[in-house]
Amino acid sequence: MTIRTRVLTLGLAAVLIGGGMLLNRWLGGDAAAPSLTQEHAGPTLAAALAQPRPTLMEFGMDSCASCRAMQHQLERLRKTHPETLQVVSINLMEQRDLAEQWRIRAMPTQILLDADGSEVDRHLGFISADALLGRFADAGVDLGEPANTAR
């Protein structure tokens, strides 16, 4: 890795971390952000990939403000598309081998898979649930209509 690449990578990481800290403060701080290790993190990656459904994988860590902020967006997707989309949160502190396997270079990283398990898109940093749905649609992956989430 060249010095220029290292400097650019560190700069990108600083921007993502700083942006995540601001976003986390804007969303109400750490107390409202669910942990990546809690049960609501979705199925395991192996279980999700065994099912013929589109999957959203989110790679992050509890110490990452943007990653914690993403958990709100992921929970929204779990509620609005429970039958058509699998949402998996992967804590890289607990599953470090997956970072290399999926070529994770920054956090958070979201990887969108079609029903066959093929990667159709990838995003680095915070992204809204609506934007993720748009990216699935742009990739030609039909997730159907949202479930009725009225309380």
Side-chain angles (χ1 to χ4, degrees):
M1 184 182 283
T2 67
I3 291 177
R4 181 174 185 226
T5 303
R6 287 182 186 169
V7 169
L8 289 173
T9 301
L10 288 174
L12 175 61
V15 167
L16 290 174
I17 290 169
M21 292 171 79
L22 289 172
L23 180 64
N24 188 50
R25 181 175 290 174
W26 180 69
L27 289 173
D30 294 344
S35 167
L36 274 67
T37 58
Q38 293 174 346
E39 287 182 23
H40 73 276
T44 65
L45 181 56
L49 295 177
Q51 300 293 318
R53 285 195 292 165
T55 301
L56 170 62
M57 299 186 302
E58 214 276 334
F59 293 86
M61 292 189 327
D62 283 332
S63 60
C64 163
S66 295
C67 302
R68 289 191 312 270
M70 274 303 303
Q71 294 306 307
H72 295 289
Q73 303 304 309
L74 301 178
E75 192 60 32
R76 180 172 163 220
L77 291 171
R78 286 184 186 103
K79 289 178 181 176
T80 60
H81 291 81
E83 302 298 322
T84 59
L85 178 63
Q86 299 183 103
V87 180
V88 182
S89 294
I90 299 162
N91 187 329
L92 292 173
M93 287 300 290
E94 296 174 358
Q95 300 179 14
R96 293 179 187 196
D97 57 315
L98 294 178
E100 186 172 328
Q101 178 183 343
W102 288 94
R103 300 175 331 273
I104 304 303
R105 301 292 177 245
M107 294 182 297
T109 294
Q110 302 82 31
I111 298 178
L112 291 69
L113 307 175
D114 63 14
D116 296 326
S118 298
E119 183 174 333
V120 295
D121 200 0
R122 178 179 290 237
H123 179 266
L124 303 176
F126 181 86
I127 185 171
S128 72
D130 289 336
L132 284 165
L133 292 173
R135 290 180 90 133
F136 271 111
D138 290 346
V141 177
D142 181 19
L143 298 176
E145 293 298 315
N148 182 0
T149 57
R151 296 177 191 204

